[in-house]
Amino acid sequence: MTDFDPVELKRIRWHSRRGLLELDLVLERFLAQRFDSLSPAEMSAYKALLELPDNDFLDVVNGKTDLDDPAIMQIVEILRAI
Amino acid sequence: MGVPVRRFDAVIVGGGGAGLRAALQLSESGLKTAVLSKVFPTRSHTVAAQGGISASLGNVQEDHWEWHMYDTVKGSDWLGDQDAIEFMCRKAPEAVIELEHFGMPFDRLENGKIYQRPFGGHTQNNGQTPVQRACAAADRTGHAMLHTLYQRNVRANTQFFVEWMALDLIRDAEGDVVGVTALEMETGEVFILHAKAVLFATGGAGRIYAASTNAFINTGDGLGMCVRAGIPLEDMEFWQFHPTGVAGAGVLITEGVRGEGGILLNANGERFMERYAPNLKDLAPRDFVARSMEQEVLEGRGCGPNKDYVLLKLDHLGPDIIKQRLPGIREIAIKFAGVDPIKEPIPVIPTCHYMMGGIPTNYRGEVVIPKGDNAESRVNGFFAAGECACASVHGANRLGTNSLLDLVVFGKSAGDSMVEYIKNEMPTWKDLPADAADRSLARIARLDGQTNGEEVADVRTAMQRTVQARAAVFRNADNLSKGVTEIQQVAERVKRTQIKDKSKVFNTARVEALELENLIEVAVATLIAADARKESRGAHAHADFPNRDDEVWMKHSLYYGDERRLSYKPVHTKPLSVDYIPPKERTF
């Protein structure tokens, strides 16, 4: 479990609502299956990923582009496989 | 306990293309302007628009706004208001060039002018030959537009209220709009936003359907608020569909798949399109394929545990063709349908894409409703633009790339009308009624106090299944009348939804329950309006009334939520400066 406070976790969940359906669908699964068991480092990486503009985010999830940060790429790999 | 009040000249609900374009007009004219958005503005659903924005710039081939107007009127199947359509098509070149000057990165020709690509339904000489009219920024036109407009608004000092959900429209005793109530998600507090003028730019409500391309945020909040405040909704029977979305997900499978030889199968493994369209088979027109698919489902030949989809088979094409000619399709099928199309067929279903109807407005963006003898009396202080509004330029069916154009043309027009209204007619704020926040507080109190209720997700699923089964692309009298009964039963269940999490701070369960209260109003309006329209026009294809009936039905429906009744108003047949385009049979 994470040491993020519960309000922050709820906020991150809401930030997983996006402008593109494809992202909504992937992130919905991620929230249901993986979100609650993320480590603090993984949660921080996921939070950083949510800062991407929707279209860039989708390109990353679809494997069209990669990101430099290995910690973020770990979360990306989960999203790609989910 | 008093509800805190904040005051602005103008309040805009919704931070997508239309809301941001309107906000810019207001902020740049020095008015104190607030934009409320459930999500960060650049994550609005406008980002999903890929195709482009149409304007008769004539950069690639000769083009004129009159030709664009003709295509739009024809696309609308003569339900669009021709004054509004003329207004939009005439303003289109100026609107696109303005975006270019704002810094929007359009694709360009070698001579530096904006490149224009071909798009279905765009023609020269009133339907004679195709023309290249769509301006685009790669496949990210909506995204580029939204970011461009957001930056301009930051510069103009528009005040953003991000993660605020508007709850209800506030009208005074005279029916004038004087503000909205809104929930700050961060704190769970309800506020009154007191304004001289309010604009709704809340987008579509495609989530009423089980199969929808719309993002989860598209819950028709503005439409729900209108219904609760006694404002009717116009032409809610008209929804645009794509035939092949992934069942249970909504992600589209391009028509190119059938062009390459993909075929549709029912539960018996039958290639059913051979029966409906012996010549064209799976390549019949889009709406025809969609209706045939749904008829198979309705007659019990659907696939899967709920028998609610058909199959798109590609494996006979072989792995090489699938990989070479249909890039991305395999990934979409694996990710969203859980099947590899090289081995297995993809479950597909006609999928809702766009809402043609909405809040009734004129081309100035003013909300207009019947009052006495006047079919279009202005609601003082109330404006709407974008997908949530019905100007009506799309009529019974929207022409591709007119949606982004609608956002900027009517966003700007509504913004100008608001500036004019505030400066000329509303020097100060009208008083708030004493009960301004009562309805919203009662809705929240009901949710907090509800026991023995139903889960929001369960009721939402019941609503989506009902609308999909009864009011998607295949419509007949029996099916629609069953749908009217069923959706009203679901509406009763919405009144008893329960949330487990009663906390105040960032309670997204509460937000989703409130969104469902908006969606259900749109769903009921859709069924009732569709059941009543005894003709086929544009996206409303009625099996028992297969023809367009201009004599009786060339009119806009208006749905009133208080008594769940309909009235009608005439289509505007007088353009602003050119001759009326009289109805013709719509053939392609």
Side-chain angles (χ1 to χ4, degrees):
Chain A
M1 273 310 271
T2 69
D3 58 1
F4 278 76
D5 85 86
V7 172
E8 180 63 8
L9 291 177
K10 283 179 162 185
R11 191 197 319 272
I12 297 172
R13 278 182 175 275
W14 184 252
H15 287 181
S16 307
R17 275 240 211 160
R18 313 298 294 198
L20 295 173
L21 174 71
E22 291 85 344
L23 285 174
D24 279 341
L25 294 168
V26 171
L27 300 184
E28 184 183 42
R29 288 184 206 164
F30 178 78
L31 293 180
Q33 296 169 24
R34 303 296 294 268
F35 187 78
D36 289 336
S37 58
L38 295 182
S39 70
E42 287 171 329
M43 189 62 80
S44 296
Y46 179 59
K47 211 179 142 187
L49 202 48
L50 291 177
E51 294 301 312
L52 286 177
D54 281 321
N55 287 280
D56 295 340
F57 193 1
L58 185 62
D59 280 353
V60 170
V61 170
N62 283 343
K64 283 189 192 163
T65 50
D66 289 336
L67 298 168
D68 293 335
D69 186 326
I72 295 180
M73 278 309 291
Q74 269 190 349
I75 301 291
V76 169
E77 291 306 333
I78 297 174
L79 294 176
R80 284 177 183 172
I82 213 163
Chain B
M1 187 188 71
V3 175
V5 178
R6 302 182 76 156
R7 263 186 180 182
F8 299 90
D9 292 314
V11 165
I12 290 173
V13 183
L20 293 184
R21 187 64 196 83
L24 198 52
Q25 290 309 100
L26 289 149
S27 293
E28 286 189 341
S29 61
L31 295 170
K32 193 180 169 193
T33 305
V35 173
L36 270 68
S37 184
K38 288 195 291 188
V39 296
F40 196 77
T42 53
R43 287 179 208 146
S44 303
H45 192 52
T46 305
V47 294
Q50 295 185 337
I53 174 167
S54 49
S56 57
L57 295 170
N59 286 354
V60 178
Q61 290 157 320
E62 186 187 357
D63 201 2
H64 299 287
W65 67 260
E66 291 92 336
W67 295 346
H68 185 185
M69 176 176 175
Y70 177 86
D71 292 339
T72 304
V73 170
K74 181 181 173 188
S76 83
D77 216 357
W78 280 271
L79 193 72
D81 287 334
Q82 295 198 11
D83 52 350
I85 294 174
E86 176 180 336
F87 182 83
M88 181 178 77
C89 297
R90 277 178 76 167
K91 292 272 182 191
E94 168 189 322
V96 167
I97 287 166
E98 186 180 65
L99 287 169
E100 182 187 29
H101 291 170
F102 286 172
M104 184 164 154
F106 284 108
D107 297 343
R108 289 179 189 285
L109 293 160
E110 285 199 353
N111 65 12
K113 289 185 175 175
I114 294 173
Y115 170 70
Q116 300 188 274
R117 58 165 76 143
F119 212 94
H122 295 183
T123 70
Q124 289 176 320
N125 277 316
N126 301 347
Q128 293 202 346
T129 44
V131 69
Q132 293 183 224
R133 187 182 290 146
C135 312
D139 61 351
R140 295 190 172 195
T141 313
H143 172 97
M145 178 191 284
L146 205 51
H147 281 257
T148 303
L149 291 174
Y150 179 69
Q151 294 304 333
R152 291 295 287 201
N153 269 286
V154 169
R155 210 175 76 168
N157 287 324
T158 300
Q159 208 170 328
F160 286 97
F161 289 73
V162 177
E163 286 155 5
W164 281 59
M165 180 186 184
L167 297 176
D168 282 292
L169 194 60
I170 304 172
R171 299 179 75 187
D172 68 8
E174 292 167 304
D176 296 352
V177 168
V178 293
V180 293
T181 52
L183 175 77
E184 183 187 26
M185 292 172 61
E186 173 88 49
T187 60
E189 295 293 337
V190 173
F191 286 79
I192 288 173
L193 301 182
H194 191 189
K196 296 173 182 171
V198 171
L199 172 90
F200 277 6
T202 55
R207 300 303 305 176
I208 66 167
Y209 286 91
S212 171
T213 66
N214 285 196
F216 292 178
I217 47 177
N218 289 24
T219 55
D221 298 339
L223 282 71
M225 288 189 272
C226 279
V227 168
R228 286 193 293 277
I231 308 268
L233 304 181
E234 180 173 344
D235 292 341
M236 292 307 296
E237 57 271 51
F238 298 101
W239 293 82
Q240 198 166 56
F241 276 74
H242 271 273
T244 53
V246 172
V251 181
L252 292 181
I253 302 285
T254 159
E255 281 158 318
V257 169
R258 278 172 291 131
E260 290 294 344
I263 57 171
L264 293 162
L265 302 178
N266 63 18
N268 305 328
E270 181 202 2
R271 186 180 179 186
F272 57 87
M273 284 311 299
E274 289 181 328
R275 206 166 0 98
Y276 294 97
N279 294 323
L280 291 174
K281 298 176 188 163
D282 300 277
L283 295 175
R286 188 187 265 191
D287 58 333
F288 191 83
V289 172
R291 284 201 297 281
S292 307
M293 290 166 68
E294 261 196 24
Q295 191 153 355
E296 289 299 297
V297 168
L298 282 170
E299 291 175 5
R301 293 186 292 277
C303 308
N306 295 318
K307 293 178 165 295
D308 55 0
Y309 56 78
V310 299
L311 295 170
L312 178 59
K313 178 177 148 65
L314 281 73
D315 59 298
H316 56 284
L317 303 178
D320 292 342
I321 292 211
I322 292 176
K323 285 179 192 162
Q324 282 163 21
R325 296 206 204 142
L326 301 167
I329 293 304
R330 188 171 174 221
E331 285 70 24
I332 287 175
I334 291 171
K335 196 160 196 79
F336 297 110
V339 300
D340 183 348
I342 287 177
K343 298 177 199 142
E344 292 170 88
I346 310 170
V348 289
I349 194 75
T351 297
C352 166
H353 185 56
Y354 187 85
M355 174 178 86
M356 268 76 73
I359 305 163
T361 68
N362 55 24
Y363 66 84
R364 294 169 46 80
E366 297 164 329
V367 176
V368 288
I369 64 174
K371 194 174 179 184
D373 292 338
N374 185 358
E376 300 191 347
S377 162
R378 195 181 74 173
V379 179
N380 290 325
F382 193 30
F383 303 79
E387 189 170 342
C388 78
C390 184
S392 147
V393 284
H394 310 304
N397 193 37
R398 178 177 63 83
L399 187 72
T401 72
N402 267 353
S403 54
L404 286 181
L405 181 61
D406 173 353
L407 304 187
V408 286
V409 169
F410 293 108
K412 183 178 185 183
S413 175
D416 284 337
S417 301
M418 291 169 82
V419 170
E420 216 175 283
Y421 175 77
I422 291 168
K423 294 201 164 160
N424 299 338
E425 298 182 53
M426 203 49 54
T428 187
W429 289 265
K430 287 192 88 180
D431 289 339
L432 286 166
D435 62 353
D438 287 8
R439 185 191 286 121
S440 301
L441 295 176
R443 288 171 63 208
I444 287 178
R446 198 281 297 166
L447 267 176
D448 286 345
Q450 183 73 47
T451 51
N452 300 319
E454 282 192 83
E455 293 285 332
V456 170
D458 294 344
V459 182
R460 187 172 55 219
T461 301
M463 172 196 69
Q464 289 170 335
R465 287 215 176 120
T466 302
V467 182
Q468 186 76 34
R470 303 301 185 192
V473 291
F474 180 85
R475 297 176 173 187
N476 66 26
D478 179 51
N479 207 35
L480 286 165
S481 87
K482 280 181 184 149
V484 169
T485 307
E486 290 166 2
I487 201 67
Q488 296 191 80
Q489 288 163 353
V490 177
E492 289 306 305
R493 294 168 61 187
V494 173
K495 293 179 187 165
R496 298 191 306 271
T497 50
Q498 186 177 351
I499 49 172
K500 290 196 189 86
D501 181 357
K502 314 272 190 192
S503 66
K504 288 187 80 173
V505 176
F506 246 106
N507 186 340
T508 52
R510 173 183 288 150
V511 169
E512 288 182 14
L514 294 166
E515 287 176 332
L516 180 59
E517 293 182 0
N518 294 326
L519 281 167
I520 192 67
E521 300 291 0
V522 180
V524 174
T526 297
L527 260 310
I528 289 180
D531 179 53
R533 185 172 283 272
K534 313 287 189 207
E535 66 157 353
S536 291
R537 182 185 297 272
H540 177 71
H542 196 308
D544 299 321
F545 303 94
N547 300 314
R548 196 178 75 203
D549 180 356
D550 290 329
E551 198 76 10
V552 180
W553 284 105
M554 194 196 274
K555 58 188 179 186
H556 298 293
S557 67
L558 291 169
Y559 166 82
Y560 290 82
D562 49 355
E563 295 165 348
R564 294 188 176 155
R565 69 183 167 90
L566 294 166
S567 71
Y568 291 89
K569 68 172 184 177
V571 170
H572 293 193
T573 51
K574 280 206 180 76
L576 298 170
S577 71
V578 292
D579 289 339
Y580 173 56
I581 300 170
K584 282 187 199 162
E585 200 179 340
R586 196 160 149 262
T587 54
F588 294 96

